Amino acid sequence: MTSTWVEPSNTATALLLLGRGSDTATERGVECPGDLPAPSDPDLVARAAAAKAALGTKVFVLGHHYQRDEVIQFADVTGDSFKLAREAAARPDAEYIVFCGVHFMAESADILTSDAQKVILPDLAAGCSMADMAVLTQVETAWDTLTDLGIAAETVPVTYMNSSADIKGFVGRNGGVVCTSSNAKRALDWAFEQGRKVLFLPDQHLGRNTAVLEMGFSLDDCVLYDPHKPGGGLTPEQLRDAKMILWRGHCSVHGRFTLDSVNDVRERVPGVNVLVHPECRHEVVNAADLVGSTEFIIRTIEAAPAGSAWAVGTELNLVRRLALAHPDKQIMFLDRAVCYCSTMNRIDLPHLVWALEELVAGRVVNQITVDPETARHARSALDQMLALPGA
């Protein structure tokens, strides 16, 4: 099978960044079909509360940790992407699941909920740049390369939760597993029981950090596959010898933290604890005091003694919320520059009010649906993750 990836034009890309237009090969969607309330409307909070109250138990609002405070205040549950998808599945009586997150999260919720439930993303342009870095046609081309080299049969695909339904479906079709940032080692342990090597999608940093720092692999055991280069920019020998074939993808937020960021904060704040997410670069994770998932970061800060100082390498909305919740501790952003997740930040109060009020009016907007075949295979990869020891 031969697939071709087409680079979008500059004009198309610009429109997508504005939330206009569409690209079926990416997570990014289209502009809202209705008129949004003005951000300056002083009644937005009251309108959101009234619409949510009118819907009652018919609606269940999920809020990812990286969302704005103005949105989080209306969430029934907050959490990371996998926790929220499971929470959605645990609410079978909720007719509407309003997912304040990004596109791949809403897809996962649709996969895990019943056909009778409708998953809604308040802004379809809320995508994930990391998920967009692994497009199905690219991954199929990479798999063809491995097949031609005679090594696909001994390669197990593993995809991070932060990937599209198409990629999860590909992994499920090819006997692989989904992982989260907290169970990546368990997923890789399982994968290496099934085969000799792993194709890890789409976040190179989580794959590398887990393999090297938790499983005892060397950096030489890992190669970086670039989907924009023939053969991934690797020789057949490199692909045959590698244990971990890492996809060239990363988080635009966590990828910005550098070793200089760590050294700078240690010079400025004596005794500071550096706490980072495993999506950060390898050298940053190596230099940190503690590394863990979003939920791990929250638990660590909550359990920390009063007076302790923490530099946190993750999205700014969460860091700011932790600082406000724990005024007895010194909590700061690891990098001096402000850095929100730009696509996650697209879900704002006007979009939430619009989506809720449309539901009150009997109109379902921005529904996220995954086709049954893709959902079936993606569900098998998710179920395999749930079956991991200790899951």
Side-chain angles (χ1 to χ4, degrees):
M1 174 180 173
T2 301
S3 303
T4 303
W5 183 80
V6 179
E7 186 81 38
S9 68
N10 291 336
T11 300
T13 300
L15 289 173
L16 286 166
L17 292 172
L18 293 170
R20 300 173 180 274
S22 63
D23 182 352
T24 57
T26 76
E27 285 257 299
R28 293 164 291 195
V30 297
E31 60 185 331
C32 293
D35 293 326
L36 293 177
S40 59
D41 185 341
D43 298 324
L44 283 178
V45 171
R47 287 172 64 177
K52 192 165 183 284
L55 291 165
T57 58
K58 292 174 64 177
V59 70
F60 188 58
V61 180
L62 301 171
H64 191 274
H65 288 307
Y66 297 166
Q67 287 293 299
R68 306 163 181 246
D69 288 345
E70 67 186 48
V71 170
I72 283 290
Q73 66 181 313
F74 293 104
D76 294 302
V77 173
T78 58
D80 60 15
S81 59
F82 183 59
K83 175 186 175 182
L84 293 179
R86 293 186 75 170
E87 288 286 346
R91 298 297 194 285
D93 296 332
E95 184 177 347
Y96 307 118
I97 305 294
V98 176
F99 210 124
C100 297
V102 292
H103 196 269
F104 79 80
M105 301 178 189
E107 286 183 327
S108 295
D110 183 60
I111 290 166
L112 293 172
T113 52
S114 72
D115 292 341
Q117 295 174 285
K118 297 176 176 61
V119 177
I120 292 141
L121 186 65
D123 186 351
L124 291 181
C128 171
S129 59
M130 181 201 294
D132 278 349
M133 292 177 191
V135 177
L136 180 59
T137 53
Q138 297 172 334
V139 175
E140 288 175 335
T141 297
W143 198 252
D144 290 343
T145 297
L146 301 184
T147 300
D148 292 342
L149 292 175
I151 57 177
E154 58 187 17
T155 304
V156 179
V158 177
T159 190
Y160 188 23
M161 191 75 179
N162 299 29
S163 57
S164 69
D166 281 344
I167 299 304
K168 292 184 180 76
F170 168 88
V171 168
R173 282 195 304 276
N174 290 282
V177 65
V178 175
C179 75
T180 68
S181 55
S182 59
N183 70 9
K185 181 182 183 298
R186 291 198 298 273
L188 287 176
D189 283 339
W190 174 87
F192 280 106
E193 291 172 359
Q194 318 305 311
R196 195 179 67 82
K197 59 178 74 230
V198 162
L199 172 63
F200 193 89
L201 306 153
D203 181 22
Q204 59 169 304
H205 301 305
L206 177 62
R208 182 182 296 106
N209 289 330
T210 305
V212 175
L213 300 180
E214 296 190 55
M215 300 179 68
F217 289 175
S218 71
L219 288 174
D220 290 338
D221 291 325
C222 308
V223 295
L224 190 60
Y225 185 98
D226 187 339
H228 302 293
K229 295 180 179 178
L234 299 166
T235 66
E237 291 73 22
Q238 287 176 309
L239 287 168
R240 290 192 182 100
D241 293 342
K243 293 180 180 177
M244 290 284 293
I245 303 171
L246 305 169
W247 195 260
R248 193 179 182 88
H250 65 274
C251 170
S252 58
V253 171
H254 293 107
R256 72 171 289 115
F257 299 116
T258 65
L259 186 56
D260 286 343
S261 304
V262 178
N263 293 335
D264 176 67
V265 78
R266 290 200 191 280
E267 289 179 9
R268 288 187 290 109
V269 187
V272 70
N273 300 281
V274 177
L275 172 60
V276 303
H277 195 282
E279 290 176 19
C280 291
R281 302 180 193 194
H282 186 65
E283 61 269 23
V284 172
V285 169
N286 260 331
D289 297 299
L290 291 169
V291 183
S293 67
T294 305
E295 297 288 345
F296 174 84
I297 290 172
I298 294 169
R299 291 195 305 269
T300 300
I301 295 295
E302 288 175 345
S308 57
W310 295 86
V312 185
T314 193
E315 202 272 345
L316 185 57
N317 272 316
L318 175 59
V319 178
R320 178 178 175 275
R321 193 172 299 125
L322 287 171
L324 292 173
H326 301 280
D328 60 329
K329 302 159 193 176
Q330 187 181 0
I331 300 170
M332 66 207 77
F333 193 56
L334 176 57
D335 192 65
R336 285 178 182 266
V338 174
C339 185
Y340 292 99
C341 175
S342 59
T343 49
M344 187 84 71
N345 225 38
R346 292 193 68 96
I347 306 293
D348 56 12
L349 200 49
H351 281 91
L352 179 60
V353 168
W354 171 75
L356 292 173
E357 289 183 344
E358 288 294 294
L359 291 177
V360 171
R363 295 185 290 269
V364 178
V365 294
N366 291 6
Q367 183 178 354
I368 302 300
T369 58
V370 179
D371 72 86
E373 185 70 6
T374 299
R376 179 171 68 86
H377 291 297
R379 180 65 185 258
S380 71
L382 287 164
D383 286 344
Q384 182 57 63
M385 177 178 71
L386 294 175
L388 294 172

